Amino acid sequence: MATALVVGAGISGLATALRLTRSTWDVVVLDSGAHHAPVLITGPDRHAARRLAALPHDLHYETRRSKVTALHPDRFGVTVAFDDHEDEWFDVVVCAQPCCEAERLPGLRLETWSRDHVALLYRAVRDTGLPLSAAELLADAFDIHTGDCAAFAWWETTLKPHAIRRAFTRVR
């Protein structure tokens, strides 16, 4: 069974966890413990939420309060170092919020939204403004493609036109 670590229990992280568990992934979600006010879901995100049946829905994943201290990608996945227990290996790590400090970890290129088996989902969301759609699309990519690198490449090229369109669209 494929394994995923989702860093961030916000709307993007939970949508990613929900969608991956539906595709029989074993998912661990890291939660900082701070609970925020409900997020207003509109536009494409509202349609994605309906497709995901995410409002409300039981999620079956493990939640931890650990912090990621380092990521070590290899050809097959990512070894993750935690602050409170031993290192653990995952097929994919999805950074769904910037508090994981992924940008400060050595070896992550920020010119793209992903590197090897690490998806910087929060960066894609910031650029497109589509948190649920981006999360749903990421999990779709893993269902469609057999290799993680191919899935990330498809996800990035599919989302980037939305980022470009948003840059030229006046937001009210």
Side-chain angles (χ1 to χ4, degrees):
M1 179 180 287
T3 59
L5 173 68
V6 177
V7 182
I11 195 158
S12 300
L14 292 179
T16 303
L18 170 64
R19 183 60 181 76
L20 288 173
T21 57
R22 286 193 179 167
S23 296
T24 69
W25 283 61
D26 187 15
V27 179
V28 173
V29 176
L30 296 187
D31 182 9
S32 65
H35 297 283
H36 306 287
V39 177
L40 180 63
I41 300 174
T42 59
D45 283 342
R46 188 169 186 80
H47 297 296
R50 285 188 186 136
R51 285 192 305 275
L52 286 167
L55 303 173
H57 194 278
D58 291 332
L59 298 174
H60 303 285
Y61 56 81
E62 179 184 349
T63 302
R64 298 182 188 165
R65 304 242 185 255
S66 305
K67 291 190 180 180
V68 174
T69 58
L71 300 176
H72 305 286
D74 59 39
R75 284 183 22 198
F76 305 105
V78 184
T79 301
V80 181
F82 296 98
D83 64 343
D84 62 353
H85 64 280
E86 292 186 12
D87 296 358
E88 195 170 343
W89 186 88
F90 294 92
D91 291 290
V92 171
V93 173
V94 179
C95 295
Q97 62 183 18
C99 73
C100 68
E101 300 181 358
E103 293 184 345
R104 297 189 188 126
L105 296 175
L108 286 178
R109 278 195 334 258
L110 293 180
E111 304 84 55
T112 61
W113 288 333
S114 67
R115 180 187 179 274
D116 297 328
H117 301 269
V118 180
L120 301 178
L121 180 61
Y122 73 88
R123 184 175 172 90
V125 168
R126 183 192 67 201
D127 291 348
T128 62
L130 302 171
L132 284 178
S133 299
E136 182 185 28
L137 193 61
L138 177 61
D140 287 344
F142 292 131
D143 284 347
I144 294 168
H145 298 277
T146 55
D148 294 340
C149 291
F152 284 140
W154 179 82
W155 177 63
E156 290 175 355
T157 56
T158 305
L159 272 182
K160 283 189 180 179
H162 293 286
I164 293 167
R165 195 170 341 163
R166 182 175 163 87
F168 291 103
T169 303
R170 184 174 162 194
V171 179
R172 295 177 188 206

